[in-house]
Amino acid sequence: MRQFQFSYKGKDALIRELRKLMQWSRTKIYSQMVFQVFSDVIDREEIEKVMDIITWEMPEALVFGCSTNGHILNGDVCTQAIAITCTVFEYPTSRVQLLQYDLTAENESYVTSDVLRILNENPWVTAIELLVTIRGMSMTNFSDQLSEAQRDIAIYGGGAFNGDMNNDTACVFTNIYGYADRGVIFVLMGGEDLHVSTTYITGWKPLGRELEITKVKGSILYEIEGRPAYDTYYRYLNIENDENFFSNTLEFPFIFDHNGIQLLRAPTASLENGALMMTSDMCEGDMARISYGDPETILREVADGVKTLNRFAPEVIKLYSCGARRVFWGADVSRETTPFQLLAPTSGFFTSGEFLRTKGHLNQHNVTLVVGALREGDIPEVKDTPELAEVGMEFSGQVSMVNRLATFIQAATEELEAANRQLGQAAISDGMTRLYNRMEIQRRINERVNQVNDAGAEGKAAGNIGKVSLVMMDVDDFKKVNDTYGHKEGDQVLIQLATMLKRVIDRKAPGCVAGRWGGEEFMVLLPGIDVNKAAEVAEVFRTEFNRIEFELCGHQTMSLGVTEHKVGESADTFTMRVDDALYKAKRSGKNCVVTE
């Protein structure tokens, strides 16, 4: 595999470059020649002219490309408006096919189903390069549906962009299907001798506590923890909702877990109502943190990526870097792209979103550098990793100030969260038995009763979903234990009773919960269980407790009441009835189960 890269400096200069390529190719054997065109200006006439020149000079070649926010040649940012690469596949088994579709929210399912059909009919495909115009469109369903492709197919690529980040006009194009301002290109590649390796680099790290996404619609994030989403940036970073909001938040995208990896999501604007326009979707219930970018952290991750790719021995490397990273780095953006040129010819562009399949899932990334590496044939003898100092990647060994401050904040946040979890657990737990306390078990009873009452008689008739029972128990003659053997022995009776309840619930009634109702009284809530099953569980409680031999007071007994909720009955009436059943058990001689 060979790659040639050059910028476009007019028709005559392009023809000279192409004819040099033709002269070179006459002495070579190759299977496919593929041109990729990058343009950071939306000029349909100029783009079509470039494609026509290439096709006229090399009619067998495939040509594809997209608009960009800038492009990369030989690992560095290209200063020309249009750049071109020519990848030559030299092995006869290597194959490339272009697919292109118009893409809208209305036809995305058709597009993905047709691509999946084609993949099933062409088992030679091992990789897909993806170029797509996003233009505010949610790519979640598109990505999820493409994730159904055969698991061994690598998928990677980027969203077409515009040289002006504030302009969402973009385009994709091929010399087969033409120019489209709303479309998607799939570059199918494969063959037994073609190998592809992919990875991604963020360098952004989580900062501060987790925040719950509470209201979102597509790429509009309305609320975080019940408050306008913008408030998060103002509260924690003092970022104003003004014309500088986008640039001020670039270093601080949200980071969250999705499909087993961490993804970044950056806001592009803050609306008057405090909602945030995001670069792609999030979901209600996602737990996100603000993250931060630190140049040295990013470069260390780049260095690790270069070392990993060196073992793959790539012949061509393609980069899909978020336009936000270009803004973040400014004039120094090539610091994270030039190291890849030490391994192989490196090209790419700055995107409106990055795509990469990881662990079987195609994910849309933001503020991320996606890397696709290609090679034909077996891995040659792996060379030593190039000296990264050649491209200005010396590391002093000192941790940057930003990194140190962020580490301090994160450690303090984790300690505070752990303390809050302990406090939260203490607030709902009984200190001695570690069961729920009276307030918490009562809250859970109220919650379940309200659910059942909301379902009504229809829910009750439908089966166990509308059923809920209570078991209430009381240690018989517990005062005698305390008076005779002391409160320490009495405490042991209660602790071991609680341990027994948890053990039996785990074995016989998973999903049920127990709490200390008060003194030597305990309550068990059994959702989805009728009174007959609850009575059986209560009998197990009684016999298991009776088997325990305490150090001083020997074997003890307890009495239990059981009842099932009636449709429309309040939680107070429900608990009063189970208390009456327990009272009847006491009056019946104790050490028994009475059903109400």
Side-chain angles (χ1 to χ4, degrees):
M1 179 181 292
R2 296 286 297 272
Q3 189 176 79
F4 302 87
Q5 305 180 15
F6 45 90
S7 57
Y8 176 66
K9 299 177 182 178
K11 176 180 178 180
D12 293 341
L14 176 56
I15 291 174
R16 286 195 298 272
E17 292 287 354
L18 294 174
R19 289 181 179 174
K20 284 192 291 185
L21 268 174
M22 289 174 62
Q23 187 175 0
W24 173 88
S25 68
R26 290 192 184 104
T27 63
K28 306 294 180 182
I29 298 174
Y30 62 92
S31 59
Q32 188 71 62
M33 193 174 285
V34 180
F35 288 84
Q36 184 165 3
V37 179
F38 309 97
S39 176
D40 65 9
V41 291
I42 307 294
D43 187 333
R44 178 170 185 167
E45 183 177 342
E46 191 75 355
I47 289 169
E48 289 180 338
K49 181 172 74 172
V50 170
M51 285 198 295
D52 289 344
I53 293 169
I54 297 172
T55 303
W56 177 262
E57 295 291 333
M58 295 186 168
E60 301 300 321
L62 297 176
V63 184
F64 74 98
C66 67
S67 58
T68 76
N69 186 245
H71 26 269
I72 301 161
L73 287 188
N74 298 310
D76 204 350
V77 177
C78 178
T79 58
Q80 297 294 321
I82 297 177
I84 302 165
T85 66
C86 174
T87 304
V88 181
F89 295 83
E90 298 178 294
Y91 277 61
T93 56
S94 297
R95 299 174 63 179
V96 181
Q97 179 181 343
L98 297 182
L99 302 177
Q100 182 176 338
Y101 301 84
D102 291 333
L103 183 67
T104 64
E106 290 72 31
N107 78 336
E108 65 176 0
S109 293
Y110 163 75
V111 171
T112 53
S113 62
D114 196 54
V115 171
L116 292 174
R117 175 189 62 79
I118 292 171
L119 293 177
N120 287 330
E121 294 172 356
N122 294 273
W124 58 268
V125 178
T126 57
I128 301 173
E129 182 176 357
L130 173 70
L131 301 180
V132 59
T133 59
I134 297 175
R135 298 196 57 183
M137 177 177 165
S138 170
M139 302 302 292
T140 299
N141 291 335
F142 177 84
S143 299
D144 290 345
Q145 289 163 14
L146 283 180
S147 297
E148 298 177 12
Q150 295 89 325
R151 195 174 179 87
D152 59 349
I153 296 178
I155 307 176
Y156 58 94
F161 212 175
N162 192 299
D164 177 4
M165 294 190 76
N166 296 313
N167 188 336
D168 65 359
T169 303
C171 65
V172 296
F173 44 84
T174 67
N175 64 337
I176 300 174
Y177 303 99
Y179 177 103
D181 58 6
R182 286 184 179 271
V184 57
I185 295 170
F186 300 91
V187 184
L188 309 185
M189 296 173 284
E192 60 188 57
D193 296 303
L194 180 65
H195 306 280
V196 178
S197 178
T198 60
T199 189
Y200 70 100
I201 291 161
T202 61
W204 267 250
K205 303 298 181 184
L207 182 68
R209 70 182 185 88
E210 281 193 325
L211 306 165
E212 183 179 2
I213 306 302
T214 51
K215 185 178 180 182
V216 65
K217 184 177 182 181
S219 59
I220 302 179
L221 175 56
Y222 288 96
E223 292 181 1
I224 299 174
E225 299 196 326
R227 297 166 60 91
Y230 159 75
D231 289 1
T232 300
Y233 279 103
Y234 184 76
R235 179 182 180 187
Y236 291 106
L237 298 170
N238 197 31
I239 294 176
E240 298 284 352
N241 189 0
D242 56 23
E243 67 276 6
N244 298 313
F245 178 82
F246 174 64
S247 58
N248 285 334
T249 56
L250 275 178
E251 295 180 53
F252 303 100
F254 291 108
I255 190 169
F256 67 108
D257 292 327
H258 184 70
N259 289 335
I261 63 173
Q262 288 192 324
L263 297 181
L264 296 173
R265 290 289 182 264
T268 58
S270 179
L271 307 181
E272 290 185 3
N273 62 0
L276 299 179
M277 292 291 298
M278 306 300 291
T279 42
S280 34
D281 291 6
M282 300 181 76
C283 297
E284 290 181 8
D286 282 342
M287 301 300 294
R289 297 177 190 266
I290 291 175
S291 66
Y292 75 99
D294 170 54
E296 185 149 336
T297 302
I298 296 168
L299 292 180
R300 288 185 183 277
E301 197 166 318
V302 168
D304 290 339
V306 169
K307 292 174 183 177
T308 300
L309 280 181
N310 186 56
R311 294 192 289 270
F312 174 73
E315 294 177 312
V316 167
I317 294 176
K318 293 191 172 184
L319 303 181
Y320 311 86
S321 181
C322 183
R325 294 178 81 92
R326 187 182 186 191
V327 176
F328 172 81
W329 281 105
D332 293 329
V333 65
S334 60
R335 292 187 67 190
E336 71 171 10
T337 59
T338 52
F340 296 97
Q341 180 69 20
L342 297 174
L343 302 181
T346 298
S347 62
F349 69 98
F350 295 98
T351 73
S352 60
E354 307 75 57
F355 295 87
L356 181 63
R357 192 180 198 184
T358 307
K359 300 180 179 179
H361 299 281
L362 179 60
N363 296 300
Q364 182 184 359
H365 292 259
N366 298 131
V367 201
T368 299
L369 175 62
V370 164
V371 184
L374 292 81
R375 185 192 76 247
E376 288 181 294
D378 296 333
I379 296 178
E381 183 178 349
V382 177
K383 301 176 182 179
D384 293 337
T385 302
E387 291 294 331
L388 296 177
E390 295 178 24
V391 287
M393 291 190 69
E394 305 94 337
F395 296 106
S396 65
Q398 294 183 338
V399 180
S400 70
M401 178 64 73
V402 172
N403 202 325
R404 281 180 281 167
L405 287 174
T407 300
F408 171 79
I409 293 170
Q410 190 61 32
T413 300
E414 289 173 358
E415 291 176 357
L416 181 60
E417 287 178 341
N420 285 338
R421 283 193 296 270
Q422 291 178 350
L423 288 172
Q425 190 61 35
I428 63 174
S429 299
D430 174 62
M432 179 191 298
T433 64
R434 304 303 182 195
L435 298 178
Y436 289 125
N437 58 25
R438 170 71 177 264
M439 181 176 66
E440 179 62 14
I441 192 67
Q442 181 71 70
R443 185 192 70 78
R444 288 171 177 259
I445 293 170
N446 292 345
E447 182 178 68
R448 183 64 182 188
V449 166
N450 289 337
Q451 291 173 352
V452 172
N453 285 338
D454 288 343
E458 291 182 2
K460 187 83 170 178
N464 283 345
I465 191 171
K467 299 181 184 299
V468 57
S469 298
L470 289 176
V471 174
M472 189 175 185
M473 63 207 76
D474 180 274
V475 178
D476 295 329
D477 302 316
F478 183 69
K479 185 175 183 301
K480 187 183 296 183
V481 173
N482 279 331
D483 291 346
T484 305
Y485 303 103
H487 287 277
K488 186 175 181 180
E489 180 73 354
D491 291 347
Q492 282 302 308
V493 170
L494 301 181
I495 291 170
Q496 292 197 47
L497 189 159
T499 301
M500 177 275 298
L501 289 178
K502 288 185 281 190
R503 184 176 66 250
V504 172
I505 287 172
D506 287 343
R507 190 174 76 246
K508 297 287 187 179
C512 300
V513 292
R516 187 178 180 187
W517 197 249
E520 66 271 23
E521 290 183 337
F522 294 80
M523 186 78 79
V524 178
L525 171 66
L526 301 96
I529 292 178
D530 64 20
V531 68
N532 295 324
K533 174 65 176 177
E536 293 176 8
V537 175
E539 183 60 25
V540 176
F541 290 151
R542 187 191 68 79
T543 56
E544 288 290 312
F545 180 68
N546 186 246
R547 290 193 180 102
I548 301 172
E549 184 171 1
F550 297 97
E551 183 178 358
L552 300 178
C553 64
H555 295 279
Q556 297 294 311
T557 65
M558 64 178 178
S559 303
L560 303 95
V562 182
T563 193
E564 180 180 340
H565 177 260
K566 298 176 181 179
V567 176
E569 182 180 42
S570 69
D572 287 343
T573 303
F574 188 26
T575 54
M576 286 176 60
R577 288 198 301 107
V578 76
D579 186 70
D580 289 343
L582 173 60
Y583 182 67
K584 291 177 181 178
K586 288 288 189 183
R587 293 184 61 187
S588 299
K590 304 177 183 177
N591 192 25
C592 64
V593 176
V594 170
T595 299
E596 171 63 39

